[in-house]
């Protein structure tokens, strides 16, 4: 065999080694990557549609990979938490392929949204919460089976809130070594983070001797980006963070208060949960503020991409409007975001301002960074395993 052919085969084998291989830990790279997905019920179609674009951009570079092969952490609240589990749960035991791709997530919303948000029958004496949650509970258990938090394809951070103990519960892969009771079934975690007050019943379960009575993660942080960043900083040192944060759409400021709770149920719920409301400390605006002011060194502007629709029509802001026409419109909003200019939040006025590039262009650049980071880690890990030590502390 000629030296040239031998060299070509070695180069090809190293190139192929990067395909279908789990992402090496941040110690081998220059950044820690985070994907954060807000809550918002059926409006989860919007961020899922944005992720379809990113997934295609990454698959163009390596068709065997998924989002879990590029992000060190995927974090979500409520519908974003459910989406996180769909993107990180293995498709089968031992598989490194996810249960859902982003395009399949969009299809899941379209097919199952009407049943998830199906009103109780008129003869049902129970009027609140608005939905009994039976379909979602059965579907979660059917899809996620017995998979637990320690079996996800990448690190996961999902928010919830214990309405009895009155404090947030963060299901984090990083906490499992010291808080084993958090290693719950993914179905329980998904049902907990999506148990929106007045819409669905709280989710009660027990794991490792600890009882939980959990409601929607939005009661702790509707935008979980700051929670995810905090988990990363605690466990991954001072590496720069590369973050994609996706919203589910908000109406114009004067209309923001509409649709938070279903009016038919809030009167019965709020008097007994004032203490819960008082604990809601992390609004989306404040998350932007903290990320911009507290972590500028670890999260420089060029490493942070927030994609949000700031002018969502009021009729599309209802988290439970799963009518086919509305879901189709939500998908259009997600696609429309791709052509919009990137928006940043002014920390002094909390008003968005536009940058020169579109969200699609920003996602393309992000895909380049994520791919380069993955290749760098694979190369450094390969060097170490081949007897050429790569030494670096986190």
């Amino acid at each position: 065999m000629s030296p040239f052919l031998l060299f070509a085969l070695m180069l090809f084998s190293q190139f192929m080694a990067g395909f279908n291989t789990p992402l090496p830990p941040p110690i081998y790279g220059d950044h820690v990557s985070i994907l954060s997905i807000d809550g918002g019920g059926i409006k989860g179609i919007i961020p899922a549609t944005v992720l379809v674009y990113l997934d295609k951009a990454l698959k163009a570079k390596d068709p065997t990979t998924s989002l879990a092969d590029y992000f060190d952490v995927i974090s979500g609240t409520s519908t974003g938490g459910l989406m996180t589990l769909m993107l990180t749960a293995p498709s089968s035991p031992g598989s490194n392929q996810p249960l859902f791709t982003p395009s399949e997530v969009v299809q899941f919303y379209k097919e199952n949204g009407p049943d998830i948000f199906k009103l109780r029958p008129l003869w049902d004496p129970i009027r609140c919460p608005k939905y009994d949650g039976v379909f979602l509970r059965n579907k979660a258990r059917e899809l996620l089976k017995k998979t637990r938090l320690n079996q996800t394809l990448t690190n996961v951070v999902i928010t919830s809130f214990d309405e009895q103990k009155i404090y947030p519960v963060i299901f984090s892969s990083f906490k499992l070594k010291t808080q084993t009771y958090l290693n719950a079934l993914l179905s329980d975690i998904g049902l907990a983070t999506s148990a929106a007050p007045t819409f669905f019943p709280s989710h009660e379960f027990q794991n490792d001797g600890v009882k939980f009575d959990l409601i929607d993660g939005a009661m702790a942080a509707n935008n979980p980006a700051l929670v995810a960043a905090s988990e990363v900083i605690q466990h991954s040192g001072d590496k720069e963070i590369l973050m994609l944060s996706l919203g589910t759409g908000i109406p114009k400021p004067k209309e923001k208060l509409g649709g938070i709770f279903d009016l038919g149920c809030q009167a019965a719920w709020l008097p007994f949960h004032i203490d819960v409301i008082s604990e809601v400390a992390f609004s989306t605006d404040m998350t932007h503020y903290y990320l911009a002011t507290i972590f500028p060194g670890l999260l420089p502007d060029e490493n942070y991409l927030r994609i949000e629709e700031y002018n969502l029509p009021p009729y599309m802001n209802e988290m439970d409007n799963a009518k086919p026409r509305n879901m189709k419109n939500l998908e259009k909003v997600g696609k429309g975001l791709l052509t919009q200019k990137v928006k940043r939040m002014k920390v002094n006025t909390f008003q968005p301002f536009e940058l020169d590039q579109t969200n699609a262009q920003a996602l393309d650049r992000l895909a380049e960074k994520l791919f380069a980071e993955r290749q760098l880690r694979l190369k450094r890990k390969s060097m170490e395993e081949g007897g050429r030590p790569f030494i670096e502390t986190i």
Side-chain angles (χ1 to χ4, degrees), residues 268-319:
W269 187 83
L270 290 177
F272 301 99
H273 294 80
I274 295 299
D275 49 353
V276 175
I277 295 297
S278 68
E279 292 292 325
V280 182
F282 295 104
S283 72
T284 293
D285 288 343
M286 290 307 297
T287 295
H288 293 310
Y289 183 83
Y290 292 134
L291 288 173
T293 57
I294 298 179
F295 306 122
L298 296 179
L299 186 61
D301 283 347
E302 63 270 19
N303 286 0
Y304 175 53
L305 176 60
R306 170 71 175 176
I307 298 181
E308 175 71 288
E309 174 54 68
Y310 291 97
N311 293 295
L312 192 69
Y315 67 89
M316 295 174 63
N317 193 44
E318 298 175 4
M319 62 163 281

Side-chain angles (χ1 to χ4, degrees), residues 30-323:
D30 293 337
H31 300 88
V32 182
S33 51
I34 299 174
L35 168 60
S36 174
I37 312 170
D38 288 11
I42 198 65
K43 296 191 300 175
I45 290 175
I46 295 174
T49 302
V50 173
L51 287 177
V52 170
Y53 183 91
L54 177 61
D55 188 52
K56 288 181 179 178
L58 290 168
K59 278 186 166 55
K61 303 176 185 301
D62 182 348
T64 68
T65 55
S66 68
L67 293 178
D69 292 313
Y70 292 97
F71 287 100
D72 294 296
V73 181
I74 300 183
S75 179
T77 286
S78 194
T79 195
L82 286 173
M83 200 182 310
T84 294
L85 298 178
M86 296 165 79
L87 295 171
T88 61
S91 58
S92 60
S95 172
N96 61 357
Q97 293 300 313
L99 189 62
F100 283 80
T101 64
S103 60
E104 290 169 340
V105 171
V106 174
Q107 193 61 30
F108 175 87
Y109 278 111
K110 290 180 178 179
E111 292 178 357
N112 296 283
D115 289 315
I116 292 173
F117 296 105
K118 186 176 182 179
L119 290 171
R120 296 174 183 271
L122 293 176
W123 58 84
D124 189 338
I126 300 175
R127 307 313 303 167
C128 294
K130 193 174 181 180
Y131 308 104
D132 60 22
V134 172
F135 180 85
L136 180 59
R137 182 164 61 250
N138 291 339
K139 182 61 68 171
R141 289 173 176 166
E142 171 195 336
L143 293 173
L144 297 169
K145 298 181 173 62
K146 297 296 182 180
T147 309
R148 292 186 177 271
L149 183 57
N150 66 345
Q151 295 173 295
T152 54
L153 299 178
T154 190
N155 295 303
V156 164
V157 177
I158 293 179
T159 62
S160 61
F161 194 94
D162 196 306
E163 66 172 355
Q164 295 298 323
K165 300 171 184 175
I166 316 299
Y167 59 63
V169 176
I170 311 299
F171 290 96
S172 168
S173 302
F174 297 104
K175 298 181 183 296
L176 294 183
K177 288 184 179 179
T178 57
Q179 297 171 262
T180 57
Y181 59 87
L182 293 177
N183 191 30
L185 293 172
L186 296 188
S187 57
D188 282 326
I189 296 173
L191 292 169
T193 190
S194 60
T198 78
F199 287 94
F200 294 106
S202 64
H203 186 60
E204 299 180 34
F205 67 97
Q206 184 170 323
N207 190 59
D208 200 22
V210 176
K211 293 182 179 180
F212 296 96
D213 184 1
L214 303 179
I215 57 176
D216 198 312
M219 304 306 296
N222 193 56
N223 178 345
L226 184 62
V227 180
S230 177
E231 288 293 296
V232 164
I233 291 169
Q234 290 179 64
H235 297 90
S236 297
D238 58 356
K239 282 187 177 292
E240 278 193 1
I241 294 173
L242 189 61
M243 179 183 287
L244 171 61
S245 175
L246 301 177
T248 56
I250 55 177
K252 295 179 181 179
K254 66 178 181 179
E255 297 155 346
K256 274 188 178 181
L257 293 179
I260 295 179
F261 297 112
D262 176 67
L263 294 177
C265 292
Q266 67 176 358
W269 187 83
L270 290 177
F272 301 99
H273 294 80
I274 295 299
D275 49 353
V276 175
I277 295 297
S278 68
E279 292 292 325
V280 182
F282 295 104
S283 72
T284 293
D285 288 343
M286 290 307 297
T287 295
H288 293 310
Y289 183 83
Y290 292 134
L291 288 173
T293 57
I294 298 179
F295 306 122
L298 296 179
L299 186 61
D301 283 347
E302 63 270 19
N303 286 0
Y304 175 53
L305 176 60
R306 170 71 175 176
I307 298 181
E308 175 71 288
E309 174 54 68
Y310 291 97
N311 293 295
L312 192 69
Y315 67 89
M316 295 174 63
N317 193 44
E318 298 175 4
M319 62 163 281
D320 58 342
N321 185 353
K323 295 178 180 178

Side-chain angles (χ1 to χ4, degrees), residues 245 250 288 301 304-312 333 336-346 350-360 362:
S245 175
I250 55 177
H288 293 310
D301 283 347
Y304 175 53
L305 176 60
R306 170 71 175 176
I307 298 181
E308 175 71 288
E309 174 54 68
Y310 291 97
N311 293 295
L312 192 69
V333 170
L337 277 172
L338 298 173
T339 60
Q340 287 186 22
K341 298 288 188 179
V342 174
K343 293 183 177 67
R344 290 273 168 79
M345 184 73 71
K346 293 181 180 179
F350 295 101
Q351 296 299 313
F353 65 96
E354 292 185 347
L355 302 184
D356 290 335
Q357 62 181 332
T358 66
N359 285 317

Side-chain angles (χ1 to χ4, degrees), residues 360-377:
Q361 291 171 329
L363 287 170
D364 287 335
R365 291 185 181 182
L366 176 63
E368 293 286 350
K369 289 183 178 180
L370 290 170
F371 183 75
E373 175 72 15
R374 175 176 166 80
Q375 294 304 111
L376 175 65
R377 294 189 194 183

